[in-house]
Amino acid sequence: MNKVFASPDAAVADIADGLTVAIGGFGVGHSYPNSLTVALRDHGARGLRIVANSLGGGGAHRPQILVENGQVDAVVVSFSARPGMPSPEEALVAEGKLALEMVPQGILVDRLRAAGAGLRAFYSPVTVGTPLANGKEVRDFDGNDFVLEHALPVDVAFIRGWRADRYGNVQFRGSSAHFHASFAKAAKLAIVEVQEIVEPGVIPPHEVDLPGIFVHRVVQSTITLGAAASKMKRRAPESGREYFGKPALSRSGIARRAAGLVEDGDYINLGSGLPTLVAGHIQGRGVFLHAENGALAYDLLDDPEEFDSDFFDAAGNFIRMRAGGAVFDSVVSFEVARSGKLSSVMLGAYQVSGSGDLANWATPGQIGGGIGGAMDLAASGAPVVVVMEHTDSKGRPKLVEQCAYPLTAPACVKVIVTDLALFRWIDGRFVVEEIAPGFTPDEIRAVTPMSFDFATDVRVLGDVELC
């Protein structure tokens, strides 16, 4: 048996027009099967339906090039747009030239996993109360609503591994396993590109991450992209926004206060953006960070000389695993999240309502957006802590009585940490427990059109000692 093909071009040569093609990869540019994607572009198959977490961002090697080349009629993705980044797919959807289906990240991986397991459908707590549940069957189990999700079989899957043998056994490396195995299992034809092709037996049986029975073709990567060494732990300016002519907490100060909510022994997930800064304030503590792409117990890197492109978190930051840490695929990662194993989830938000509703994936009038893993995390039952500035970049309130933005999850937010105040959900209502230095309760009310109370003893925001 020899599943090795001479080149990516040879491996994709018989892909016909109109097929559904799942393409692995995470974030803007991590561990995409670039060689196979470029080969498919050059092959020219058209009328394709692409299934992916994301089509990547920019560059000449990621799935987005298939859209730009006019080969794609429909996409099924968790991200169709990212803040501050041009999105050709969003533009084509707006013109009616591209069909779009948005799927939460964890549900996407489980729909493909279900297809690979021969299951036709399953019920999920994710998307309940959001626009993505519209038109779907909702059923009550033990007093809670669950949405019916259908399996997502595909014709072809492109995945990327570290090593494979000629039987098709694949080994992944670091936190770059994420979607690849579930994508391959859902496909009639699974093609893997790898950095190294080895003889059978070189990969020990207990280190095979994807058995060869799920893989049909193996090719050597011909396009190797160097990772951006500049993508290190994000730093924030020490100066904050001004309200009423007075400085509020800086972004670093917000993150530091949020870190004070975390106890040693906690397992926490940090969302992209401002919540990522919390990692810098828990380093050296017994707190275990969890990432949706498949990592547990890690620290973000500072030194660009130390980065390894196979080790990254869900926000695309390069990481160093701690002693006792673990890496796995996204199937396991979302099992951790949705089973309620996390101590807390820290997310950013566009809006939070007075009922604790969270909106953080799309703006009104936007066709798609960026769901990522937020819906799965918010539906997990773990306490959701929103970490954000009090108003948006145009000075509009983000704490409102009712969300005008599409919901990520209803009634899930338990704590809000902003640059002006800390709110905690107590007995069905938000209560302000801390206010930024120099600000008054009346000023907090003036910029917060949301129902809330003040604690009897309001403390100074940020006045906390980290363990």
Side-chain angles (χ1 to χ4, degrees), residues 363-409:
T363 57
Q366 187 175 5
I367 298 170
I371 299 174
M375 284 191 180
D376 297 88
L377 292 164
S380 68
V384 173
V385 179
V386 167
V387 184
M388 65 180 187
E389 288 161 318
H390 208 87
T391 62
D392 68 16
S393 60
K394 296 181 179 180
R396 295 171 298 196
K398 299 175 77 172
L399 298 175
V400 295
E401 193 59 28
Q402 290 186 325
C403 291
Y405 290 15
L407 290 191
T408 303

Side-chain angles (χ1 to χ4, degrees), residues 27-45:
V28 174
H30 286 284
S31 58
Y32 280 87
N34 300 300
S35 309
L36 292 168
T37 302
V38 170
L40 182 60
R41 180 199 62 188
D42 295 343
H43 168 53

Side-chain angles (χ1 to χ4, degrees), residues 123 128-129 133-141 144-148:
Y123 286 96
V128 171
N134 293 345
K136 296 181 180 179
E137 178 188 337
V138 178
R139 184 173 174 183
D140 179 283
F141 290 93
N144 296 303
D145 285 341
F146 288 76
V147 177
L148 181 66

Side-chain angles (χ1 to χ4, degrees), residues 35-216:
S35 309
L36 292 168
T37 302
V38 170
L40 182 60
R41 180 199 62 188
D42 295 343
H43 168 53
R46 308 186 76 79
L48 301 174
R49 178 182 181 228
I50 301 298
V51 176
N53 172 47
S54 163
L55 300 183
H61 310 97
R62 293 163 191 144
Q64 201 170 78
I65 64 174
L66 302 173
V67 173
E68 294 170 335
N69 202 40
Q71 295 173 251
V72 182
D73 285 353
V75 293
V76 181
V77 292
S78 298
F79 290 90
S80 65
R82 297 174 186 274
M85 295 184 67
S87 171
E89 53 268 32
E90 282 268 309
L92 289 172
V93 171
E95 295 173 16
K97 297 178 180 178
L98 184 70
L100 169 67
E101 180 182 353
M102 297 294 299
V103 185
Q105 199 173 84
I107 298 307
L108 179 67
V109 74
D110 273 322
R111 287 180 65 190
L112 283 130
R113 175 171 66 158
L119 304 177
R120 300 308 302 165
F122 58 91
Y123 286 96
S124 160
V126 182
T127 76
V128 171
T130 79
L132 297 192
N134 293 345
K136 296 181 180 179
E137 178 188 337
V138 178
R139 184 173 174 183
D140 179 283
F141 290 93
D142 300 322
N144 296 303
D145 285 341
F146 288 76
V147 177
L148 181 66
E149 299 286 356
H150 291 271
L152 182 56
V154 299
D155 298 303
V156 183
F158 291 172
I159 67 170
R160 185 182 183 93
W162 174 38
R163 302 194 298 180
D165 62 29
R166 58 186 173 87
Y167 294 164
N169 295 306
V170 181
Q171 186 176 19
F172 302 110
R173 183 173 181 273
S175 58
S176 60
H178 45 83
F179 296 96
H180 293 308
S182 57
F183 276 31
K185 292 174 183 178
K188 297 175 184 176
L189 173 65
I191 310 174
V192 61
E193 69 169 79
V194 291
Q195 294 172 240
E196 183 181 2
I197 298 176
V198 300
E199 287 299 311
V202 171
I203 304 174
H206 61 281
E207 294 182 11
V208 171
D209 297 308
L210 179 62
I213 196 168
F214 293 109
V215 176
H216 304 88

Side-chain angles (χ1 to χ4, degrees), residues 321-392:
M321 299 303 300
R322 291 183 179 182
V327 291
F328 32 82
D329 69 1
S330 289
V331 170
V332 174
S333 192
F334 283 105
E335 287 173 346
V336 168
R338 290 197 303 267
S339 64
K341 299 296 190 298
L342 295 174
S343 306
S344 64
V345 173
M346 295 191 175
L347 300 172
Y350 292 143
Q351 290 183 332
V352 177
S353 79
S355 302
D357 301 334
L358 171 67
N360 77 345
W361 69 276
T363 57
Q366 187 175 5
I367 298 170
I371 299 174
M375 284 191 180
D376 297 88
L377 292 164
S380 68
V384 173
V385 179
V386 167
V387 184
M388 65 180 187
E389 288 161 318
H390 208 87
T391 62
D392 68 16

